Amino acid sequence: YTKILRLSLRHKGSIIIVALSIFGLSLLTASTIRKEFLPAEDQSQFLVRIKTPRGSSLETTSKTFRIIEDWLNSRPEISGTFAIIGGLTGGQVNTGLIFTNMKPKGKRGEDPTLKHEISQGEFMALTRKRLNSIPGVRPVVQDLSARGFSSSRGFPIEFTIQGPNWQQLVKETNRITDDLKKTGTVTDVDMDYEGETPEIAIIPDRSAAERQGIPISSIADTISTAISGLRIAKYTSEGRRYDVRVKEIDPPNSSELSPTERLEKLYVRNNRGQIVPILGAVKVEERLAPINLTRLNRQRAITVFANVAAGQSQQKVLERVLQFGKTHLSPGYSIQLSGTAQTFQESFQSLLFAIVLGLAVAYMILATQFNSFTDPVTVMMALPFSLTGAFFALLLTHQSLNLYSMIGLILLMGIAKKNSILLIDFTNQVRDESKTSIQESLIKACPVRLRPILMTSIAQVVGALPAALAFGPGAESRKPMAIVVIGGVILSTALTLLVIPCVYSFLTPKERKHSDVDRILREEQSLSTKASG
């Protein structure tokens, strides 16, 4: 190490340029690393949302669900399923959910096609392919591992399109989703807009009603009584209150009558006590109307959900979505991230701010300890190399830059500075005691600190190995953090031993400036030496 250090100090300019070039290369590498909020965990469970064609009966939906359940339960990897038709809120007879439980990892057996035990992600892809082959079925396969970090559905891609006109809003949303599907970066694209359905609109003709003396309230009460019943009173029994409703008895052939024909049989009493046909005071229109209307911040809104395709970056997909919002949407319409996507964006911004704040606080503390403005800069030169090692490690292991690996980067900042502090502090001590040049002080001090630096770095790497090699439940979350620490410690240690001495010899002045306390201590030590002599 001493020979290599002497050679490095003789070519310190070249060493620093090469080190900075490696750091610049790592920044380019970082742009190719997948970025996501959370890595998908193999929790042996996932959710399948199924939609059959609009207007399907409950029996048709039930038959479709039985076909899907039979296929799932026939797979040896599945331990059980639980299906709900009608959605969690009920009333949606063409939709449903299937909660699917897989056998724990290690007990699923070897898949004959893959030649290894199938993972949850691989089985979800297989399920998606199988369900898409069923005619009339719109499946959405969802991983449940990230739902606890969001109040919404928990999809990695989630955004809301807002605008003033509902019909135009539907067109804008369909255009955005079609363009997003063409990119091939997303799967399972879905939205909370359920489409339109025919409805009968009964509109009071106020002029005709006034001529006949028919109150508008009488028209509303009569139609309500015929369709859903009208509450006329309440009664109490055994501590409970019950509604008393009046409803028309449906005729035997009511299912064969059109809505207009049913209205022809309704009569209403006017203010003169006469009974007149209700059709003389209303207009009947048959039109398409949205099944559901959603709003966000008092604006009409449609929320789109999607999963990220295998091997794609969540960050790049979200950037593309926002770019589509700028280039594809008409004036007056906007796009806004929501759910997990919004949490992902806010969390990364907060973590980057924490890193910048940590650097500022670290510099102030080091400047106070070293009583110097240049020594902290030399110490913190180890941080770029730790980031370089972390990025290279993530790229080599095909891991993503996510919430856990970002926490690992913050942890790495504290670990990487430790080696530089050991070198700089001991070099300053050698210079004060031996009064030698900067280069000779470095050659004398750095080899002495080589062993403790290697011992602590090796201990940190070995301590992180179990998490990096983990394969049990939750291993997907622990691996990125451990890999970041291992890669950053290895490269920063190797470069710190060579680059930090070179930077120190460049930035540190030839004569060290001491504080008043140091000067007083040296004077007292000199006086005590003379007195003893």
Side-chain angles (χ1 to χ4, degrees):
Y1 172 62
T2 304
K3 294 179 180 179
I4 298 175
L5 181 60
R6 287 182 183 274
L7 182 63
S8 300
L9 292 174
R10 284 199 297 267
H11 304 86
K12 52 189 175 184
S14 301
I15 294 294
I16 294 175
I17 292 174
V18 170
L20 293 178
S21 301
I22 294 175
F23 174 65
L25 179 62
S26 70
L27 294 182
L28 296 177
T29 303
S31 62
T32 64
I33 298 175
R34 289 186 301 110
K35 299 176 182 64
E36 58 185 355
F37 180 45
L38 293 172
E41 293 185 5
D42 191 334
Q43 297 183 341
S44 300
Q45 59 179 355
F46 61 92
L47 178 66
V48 182
R49 300 176 183 269
I50 302 294
K51 288 185 180 180
T52 55
R54 193 181 306 120
S56 300
S57 64
L58 187 63
E59 291 76 11
T60 302
T61 305
S62 179
K63 290 179 181 178
T64 304
F65 267 66
R66 289 192 180 278
I67 294 173
I68 298 173
E69 282 187 283
D70 290 341
W71 178 80
L72 287 172
N73 291 321
S74 66
R75 297 288 304 187
E77 303 89 356
I78 299 299
S79 61
T81 58
F82 177 73
I84 301 175
I85 299 178
L88 295 176
T89 57
Q92 301 170 334
V93 297
N94 69 317
T95 65
L97 309 171
I98 301 179
F99 294 90
T100 307
N101 293 321
M102 300 181 65
K103 294 178 182 178
K105 294 174 65 175
K107 298 183 179 180
R108 299 169 187 168
E110 181 178 301
D111 185 88
T113 304
L114 300 174
K115 305 300 182 182
H116 62 80
E117 184 183 69
I118 192 169
S119 66
Q120 177 181 311
E122 292 169 337
F123 189 79
M124 289 171 60
L126 179 64
T127 302
R128 187 181 294 112
K129 181 179 179 181
R130 173 66 180 88
L131 298 188
N132 281 321
S133 65
I134 301 177
V137 172
R138 288 175 51 199
V140 174
V141 184
Q142 182 181 0
D143 180 15
L144 301 176
S145 60
R147 293 197 66 183
F149 289 82
S150 172
S151 59
S152 188
R153 291 192 184 182
F155 285 89
I157 305 300
E158 184 173 334
F159 58 92
T160 302
I161 302 176
Q162 298 172 286
N165 183 272
W166 187 258
Q167 282 73 25
Q168 183 64 26
L169 181 62
V170 173
K171 293 180 181 178
E172 301 285 348
T173 305
N174 288 332
R175 183 162 66 246
I176 292 288
T177 53
D178 290 342
D179 292 339
L180 190 59
K181 291 177 183 177
K182 292 177 183 178
T183 63
T185 58
V186 294
T187 59
D188 303 320
V189 180
D190 192 19
M191 64 180 73
D192 58 3
Y193 173 67
E194 299 293 340
E196 296 179 333
T197 185
E199 74 171 12
I200 302 298
I202 303 174
I203 306 170
D205 188 341
R206 295 184 180 273
S207 299
E210 184 180 3
R211 289 194 302 268
Q212 300 182 61
I214 303 175
I216 301 300
S217 59
S218 297
I219 297 176
D221 291 344
T222 301
I223 295 174
S224 179
T225 303
I227 296 175
S228 60
L230 181 66
R231 189 180 68 185
I232 60 173
K234 285 179 174 289
Y235 80 94
T236 304
S237 175
E238 298 180 356
R240 296 179 179 271
R241 301 190 69 184
Y242 299 90
D243 290 340
V244 178
R245 290 184 175 270
V246 175
K247 186 181 183 300
E248 178 194 19
I249 299 175
D250 294 332
N253 59 343
S254 60
S255 60
E256 301 175 1
L257 299 177
S258 66
T260 305
E261 291 174 338
R262 291 199 63 178
L263 287 175
E264 290 176 354
K265 299 180 178 298
L266 295 181
Y267 293 83
V268 65
R269 191 181 298 275
N270 61 13
N271 54 9
R272 296 186 292 273
Q274 299 172 337
I275 297 178
V276 296
I278 198 172
L279 281 180
V282 298
K283 298 177 181 179
V284 182
E285 295 181 2
E286 185 173 351
R287 61 192 182 189
L288 294 175
I291 296 176
N292 61 326
L293 296 174
T294 55
R295 288 178 174 84
L296 180 65
N297 297 328
R298 297 185 177 182
Q299 280 190 305
R300 294 177 176 89
I302 297 177
T303 303
V304 180
F305 314 92
N307 286 318
V308 181
Q312 298 294 326
S313 171
Q314 181 183 2
Q315 176 67 27
K316 290 185 177 181
V317 175
L318 294 177
E319 290 175 354
R320 185 166 294 180
V321 167
L322 295 177
Q323 183 63 30
F324 282 166
K326 295 178 181 179
T327 58
H328 291 45
L329 291 179
S330 303
Y333 295 83
S334 61
I335 195 167
Q336 177 181 339
L337 299 181
S338 57
T340 304
Q342 182 182 8
T343 306
F344 166 55
Q345 189 180 52
E346 293 174 351
S347 299
F348 265 55
Q349 291 175 352
S350 300
L351 287 171
L352 290 175
F353 175 75
I355 291 176
V356 174
L357 184 62
L359 293 174
V361 172
Y363 178 83
M364 290 187 290
I365 294 175
L366 291 172
T368 304
Q369 289 181 337
F370 283 97
N371 191 33
S372 169
F373 291 108
T374 57
D375 285 350
V377 176
T378 306
V379 170
M380 297 178 69
M381 281 298 295
L383 298 182
F385 309 134
S386 64
L387 295 179
T388 300
F391 293 152
F392 284 155
L394 290 175
L395 187 65
L396 291 174
T397 56
H398 305 287
Q399 296 292 327
S400 63
L401 187 62
N402 51 59
L403 179 65
Y404 298 108
S405 51
M406 287 290 287
I407 295 174
L409 290 178
I410 297 176
L411 175 64
L412 191 60
M413 288 172 53
I415 296 175
K417 293 197 301 292
K418 173 265 308 174
N419 295 337
S420 298
I421 293 174
L422 288 175
L423 286 179
I424 303 305
D425 182 60
F426 191 63
T427 302
N428 289 339
Q429 292 182 29
V430 171
R431 289 184 65 192
D432 293 340
E433 294 174 358
S434 62
K435 306 298 181 181
T436 57
S437 64
I438 295 176
Q439 183 166 339
E440 291 301 322
S441 298
L442 287 169
I443 293 174
K444 183 178 179 181
C446 292
V448 176
R449 283 289 180 255
L450 175 63
R451 180 176 294 177
I453 288 175
L454 292 180
M455 289 176 63
T456 53
S457 298
I458 292 173
Q460 290 160 358
V461 170
V462 173
L465 276 178
L469 300 176
F471 55 87
E476 296 85 355
S477 300
R478 297 192 296 271
K479 276 185 176 181
M481 184 187 300
I483 289 172
V484 162
V485 172
I486 292 174
V489 167
I490 291 175
L491 191 59
S492 67
T493 300
L495 293 179
T496 295
L497 292 172
L498 299 178
V499 179
I500 296 302
C502 297
V503 176
Y504 180 87
S505 63
F506 256 124
L507 299 180
T508 304
K510 293 183 178 180
E511 296 294 333
R512 279 180 39 80
K513 296 180 180 179
H514 301 278
S515 64
D516 293 338
V517 176
D518 293 335
R519 180 176 52 80
I520 293 173
L521 290 175
R522 289 201 313 275
E523 290 177 356
E524 290 180 352
Q525 184 178 5
S526 177
L527 291 175
S528 62
T529 302
K530 290 180 181 179
S532 62

